[in-house]
Amino acid sequence: MKTSLLFAALFSIACFASTACLQERTDAAVTDDPFRWLEEIDGPGALAWVRAENEKTLGVLQSDPRYRPFYEQALSILQAKDRIADVPFEGGGLEQFWRDQNQVRGVWRRTMRESDRSQDPKWETILDVDALAAAENRNWVFEGANCLPPEERHCLISLSDGGKDAVSIREFDLVAKTFVADGFYLPEGKQDVSWVDGDTLLVARDWGEGTLTQAGYPFVVKELKRVQPLSEAREIFRGEPTDFQTYPFVLRDSEGHIHATGVARAISSVESEYVVLLPDGPVKLNLPKRAEIVTLACGRLLVKLDEDWTPSEDNRFRAGSVISYDLDEWKQDPLRAKASLVFQPGPRQALSELTATKNFLILTILENVQSKAFVYKYDQGAWSATPIPLPEHKDVSLSATYVEADRVTFTVSSYLGPTSVWYFDAERKRLEELKKTPSVFDASKHVVEQLEATSRDGTSIPYFLVRPKNARFDGTIPTLLHGYGGFQEPLLPSYLGPEGRLWLEQGNAYVFANLRGGGEFGPQWHQAAQGATKQTTSDDFIAVAEDLIRRKITSPRRLGVIGGSQGGLLVGAAITQRPELFNAAIIQVPLLDMLRYTKLGAGASWIGEYGDPAIAEQRAWIERYSPYQKLVAGKTYPAPLILTSTKDDRVHPAHGRKAAAKLAALGQPYFYYENINGGHSAAANLMEEARQLALEYTYAWRRLCSE
């Protein structure tokens, strides 16, 4: 009875901003969650609450004398002319997407390869997104281009309104540098498209009632011809409404020749079925459900395995391996073609990336969370691998591939070392550094160490500590602990540009934890913290926090945690399970209400990762760690900063909203800021990104550095 009265009273306070809350208050009264009204993304009462919270948070943090210099420093770094662009493209020249203070939304631009290898490339604008947004009065965010091989003249441009995952797709002529009159156009939606030829697309999208999964993704694929209305597109495959999603694929070689078309039916976020579309009808491939068709290389079809697989008694493959099929044999009979091994991970190894050039396969792996790169060649029935001598103890990622040649570029980075771009000619075995960004903070006083903590079940959990060289281990270093631990995504080293300027330069420390649930050591590392064992990710994170305190690197007074999306769930779980360990928590675009996550945003698509709260047994294991339900009276939490976005159509903003409202009801301090635009990144442009960084580090300084 006392609890009900407390919620009723505080719910009334939370709704003060709008009379529209009256009806919502009545609706919520029949539920066990008095803040469910905040789930209405654009509800008048919910938006009034958001505006009031934003005003309160900005009033405190932006009035702090540190905020303005933090914002200006972050923006200067993000807009620097000599930085390396985030989004490279492939084509006759080298395309990239670029944003700075003059191009806020950005320009798609290109240069010839010879020019790009100079220190001052000559860029030609293909599409000015700022000009397009102004002309159409839309807040367009460029989400990439899908160009038709091999000429790559006609491209499908994806544009998001404010940063949502849902995009509008329009055909663009790369030579004329204009949208094609009466070209392909697909209205806004969560959709996947593959070119078949200049007049044909394979499209998965919302085709009308009953064509989206419970998670809001398409499960119907159709063939769409040029000038054909969407209503006349021919259906070629239909999955199930209970699936995650279905999407088309086209297998092309380096010369643009098509060898197969098909669809991938994602049963969940971790399991798929592949169907190839043959003249005699569709054929479901006999691959394991945790497998992915990745590319064609050297006349072979390559598949990545995320589970052990024994297709025959004399053919066994381990999880994390890459296998290949002779392409001609596979096309003749895809169900009886025999696979052979390309790559098998060793202890503490994992596949990172791979790409195909004209005659080679380029592959990067992780070994104890350190990157290595190799060039693979198929000759006389076997694959041979040759190391590419890139800098050691760095993160190496593939940034561009020239499919008609045998050349690639790599981006090489580390926490303290500025990012560089390396050019590799696989045919001539020539490697050279093309460019390196200048340092944006003084890293000379810091050092990176790889340490290990022991989790609850005895497993060693590696983490990287970036700390001052002259650190006194007396527990006084303000430290931010970052984690993710989900969806088989590794947390890898990257240059701490703005973070280095705003946080490290002043003698603070940053920690990156490589938790189970991530992909640092392959599929098994992921599956050790999935579904019924998801709590393991939080156990690992807490173990790293305890290890930092045990080593006297920091102390609970000086320790904060930070994470986004799945990492936001991780931070929420950490501060509700062990609030005494932390004094700050930066929670970005988080999952927090895990008992309702399948009802919010794209949540139903992650049942494979977390389990289904509609099933009693699975609800029980989810309820044990769901942060929203773990916010209770009688505990003191480290006043969090919760950041989200109204336009986030992946992780619903209600997760953050409801947690903030519940903290208010419990009389607990917190900060809440919701950016109207930005989608799942919570920032639609560089100025919004700089603002978010300034808010985060102003908050961190107030919580961890002030006496």
Side-chain angles (χ1 to χ4, degrees):
M1 182 63 179
K2 290 182 179 178
T3 301
S4 298
L5 290 172
L6 172 66
F7 277 145
L10 290 166
F11 183 71
S12 178
I13 295 171
C15 279
F16 79 97
S18 173
T19 56
C21 290
L22 291 173
Q23 180 61 46
E24 292 164 337
R25 186 182 303 123
T26 302
D27 297 339
V30 299
T31 75
D32 59 356
D33 182 357
F35 305 114
R36 193 174 292 184
W37 59 279
L38 288 167
E39 294 177 5
E40 188 178 353
I41 293 178
D42 297 317
L47 288 180
W49 179 90
V50 167
R51 286 191 291 270
E53 291 293 323
N54 284 355
E55 184 177 355
K56 182 173 64 175
T57 293
L58 294 179
V60 174
L61 296 182
Q62 289 187 336
S63 64
D64 188 292
R66 285 164 287 220
Y67 173 83
R68 177 50 56 177
F70 279 177
Y71 173 79
E72 292 173 352
Q73 290 170 31
L75 187 61
S76 174
I77 292 168
L78 294 173
Q79 293 182 341
K81 296 286 188 182
D82 51 9
R83 75 187 191 279
I84 293 171
D86 295 331
V87 186
F89 293 88
E90 307 162 18
L94 184 73
E95 287 98 42
Q96 65 172 213
F97 191 69
W98 181 261
R99 295 183 296 172
D100 58 28
Q101 67 270 28
N102 298 318
Q103 290 93 26
V104 175
R105 291 179 175 84
V107 291
W108 184 22
R109 64 187 192 177
R110 66 184 168 196
T111 185
M112 298 312 293
R113 292 173 188 161
E114 296 75 13
S115 175
D116 182 62
R117 294 176 65 182
S118 71
Q119 291 300 313
D120 186 23
K122 306 303 179 185
W123 293 101
E124 172 192 8
T125 296
I126 300 170
L127 175 65
D128 185 329
V129 181
D130 291 270
L132 179 69
E136 299 183 352
N137 193 29
R138 301 289 294 275
N139 184 20
W140 287 130
V141 175
F142 184 81
E143 295 291 351
N146 176 1
C147 301
L148 174 63
E151 295 86 0
E152 297 190 333
R153 171 172 178 170
H154 289 270
C155 304
L156 299 173
I157 305 293
S158 294
L159 296 168
S160 166
D161 182 10
K164 295 183 291 186
D165 285 353
V167 296
S168 301
I169 298 177
R170 296 154 68 173
E171 186 179 359
F172 188 85
D173 187 323
L174 202 61
V175 175
K177 296 190 288 188
T178 185
F179 289 102
V180 177
D182 299 323
F184 285 111
Y185 170 69
L186 301 173
E188 181 181 86
K190 293 182 178 180
Q191 49 195 327
D192 284 281
V193 182
S194 292
W195 287 100
V196 177
D197 56 44
D199 294 318
T200 312
L201 303 178
L202 299 181
V203 181
R205 61 167 285 113
D206 183 355
W207 300 102
E209 185 177 355
T211 62
L212 294 181
T213 67
Q214 296 171 4
Y217 291 93
F219 67 91
V220 175
V221 179
K222 296 187 179 185
E223 179 187 80
L224 180 67
K225 294 290 187 178
R226 183 172 294 280
V227 307
Q228 187 179 43
L230 290 176
S231 59
E232 296 180 8
R234 179 175 67 91
E235 182 173 320
I236 61 172
F237 186 83
R238 178 176 290 257
E240 296 293 336
T242 53
D243 293 344
F244 170 10
Q245 68 177 105
T246 298
Y247 57 90
F249 65 85
V250 175
L251 293 175
R252 278 188 176 85
D253 61 25
S254 61
E255 296 178 349
H257 298 140
I258 294 178
H259 294 272
T261 61
V263 294
R265 177 191 168 205
I267 302 169
S268 71
S269 58
V270 295
E271 294 184 324
S272 298
E273 291 180 350
Y274 283 88
V275 176
V276 290
L277 305 174
L278 300 178
D280 295 334
V283 174
K284 186 175 78 170
L285 300 182
N286 54 350
L287 292 171
K289 290 184 177 179
R290 292 175 182 258
E292 178 186 359
I293 294 176
V294 285
T295 191
L296 300 178
C298 306
R300 301 184 70 80
L301 172 70
L302 274 72
V303 175
K304 179 171 72 75
L305 301 176
D306 281 342
E307 63 177 276
D308 294 340
W309 187 41
T310 306
S312 62
E313 288 186 5
D314 61 342
N315 222 10
R316 294 181 174 87
F317 303 107
R318 283 189 5 214
S321 297
V322 178
I323 60 175
S324 71
Y325 297 87
D326 178 88
L327 188 55
D328 290 334
E329 180 186 352
W330 181 84
K331 287 166 61 178
Q332 186 174 1
D333 190 343
L335 299 183
R336 291 179 174 82
K338 187 172 182 178
S340 62
L341 185 67
V342 180
F343 164 79
Q344 179 173 282
R348 297 182 77 79
Q349 282 188 340
L351 174 70
S352 183
E353 295 178 297
L354 60 81
T355 189
T357 65
K358 184 176 182 179
N359 297 297
F360 298 96
L361 176 69
I362 309 296
L363 187 146
T364 63
I365 69 168
L366 298 176
E367 186 169 322
N368 200 28
V369 206
Q370 306 283 338
S371 293
K372 296 183 178 181
F374 298 86
V375 55
Y376 277 67
K377 184 177 182 179
Y378 189 79
D379 188 35
Q380 298 182 346
W383 290 93
S384 60
T386 304
I388 302 172
L390 287 160
E392 296 182 348
H393 308 298
K394 308 275 187 180
D395 177 55
V396 174
S397 61
L398 288 157
S399 57
T401 305
Y402 308 108
V403 293
E404 81 291 355
D406 288 313
R407 293 168 290 182
V408 296
T409 57
F410 296 96
T411 300
V412 177
S413 187
S414 66
Y415 293 120
L416 298 179
T419 302
S420 58
V421 174
W422 292 72
Y423 173 90
F424 178 63
D425 186 324
E427 177 65 32
R428 296 176 175 80
K429 297 181 174 58
R430 190 175 76 218
L431 178 69
E432 61 177 307
E433 185 178 25
L434 292 185
K435 62 183 69 175
K436 187 174 186 177
T437 58
S439 299
V440 299
F441 70 96
D442 181 6
S444 64
K445 298 177 182 178
H446 274 72
V447 65
V448 179
E449 296 178 292
Q450 189 177 29
L451 304 172
E452 291 190 347
T454 301
S455 194
R456 176 181 292 183
D457 63 1
T459 302
S460 293
I461 308 301
Y463 65 90
F464 289 97
L465 167 64
V466 186
R467 64 163 178 85
K469 288 180 180 178
N470 62 352
R472 293 180 301 164
F473 297 108
D474 57 3
T476 61
I477 305 174
T479 301
L480 283 173
L481 169 58
H482 185 193
Y484 184 75
F487 299 94
Q488 204 170 317
E489 291 294 330
L491 186 59
L492 301 177
S494 62
Y495 185 51
L496 294 171
E499 295 87 351
R501 178 79 66 84
L502 306 186
W503 186 249
L504 293 179
E505 261 192 355
Q506 288 71 30
N508 301 326
Y510 219 121
V511 176
F512 299 86
N514 301 118
L515 314 170
R516 282 175 288 181
E520 289 86 347
F521 301 111
Q524 299 93 332
W525 195 250
H526 170 221
Q527 292 158 24
Q530 185 183 358
T533 58
K534 191 61 199 172
Q535 172 61 35
T536 301
T537 305
S538 298
D539 291 343
D540 293 353
F541 198 50
I542 289 167
V544 173
E546 291 176 327
D547 197 61
L548 293 167
I549 296 167
R550 181 186 62 80
R551 295 176 188 267
K552 295 188 177 180
I553 293 163
T554 190
S555 61
R557 167 68 181 85
R558 302 294 183 185
L559 179 58
V561 276
I562 180 171
S565 192
Q566 151 62 33
L569 168 61
L570 173 69
V571 171
I575 66 170
T576 52
Q577 293 177 27
R578 295 294 302 280
E580 76 281 1
L581 291 178
F582 313 105
N583 197 38
I586 299 172
I587 307 178
Q588 305 156 327
V589 290
L591 283 155
L592 293 172
D593 184 354
M594 296 304 291
L595 297 187
R596 279 187 57 75
Y597 86 95
T598 57
K599 310 292 185 184
L600 301 171
S605 62
W606 310 316
I607 287 174
E609 182 75 10
Y610 301 114
D612 189 348
I615 299 172
E617 179 188 4
Q618 298 180 22
R619 181 184 181 91
W621 77 54
I622 295 170
E623 195 166 17
R624 283 195 286 269
Y625 67 79
S626 180
Y628 181 60
Q629 283 73 30
K630 293 299 180 184
L631 291 170
V632 295
K635 279 192 175 183
T636 300
Y637 303 102
L641 169 62
I642 303 171
L643 300 144
T644 188
S645 166
T646 311
K647 290 285 180 70
D648 189 349
D649 54 352
R650 192 180 314 174
V651 176
H652 199 294
H655 286 280
R657 291 176 179 180
K658 295 200 301 179
K662 192 171 185 182
L663 285 167
L666 294 169
Q668 295 277 351
Y670 66 92
F671 295 91
Y672 181 85
Y673 181 73
E674 182 174 317
N675 192 26
I676 301 302
N677 295 306
H680 195 49
S681 68
N685 55 57
L686 297 179
M687 291 182 292
E688 292 180 1
E689 187 176 343
R691 178 179 61 200
Q692 180 173 323
L693 285 164
L695 290 173
E696 289 174 351
Y697 286 95
T698 299
Y699 162 84
W701 272 86
R702 290 168 63 94
R703 297 292 302 175
L704 303 178
C705 303
S706 302
E707 295 301 330

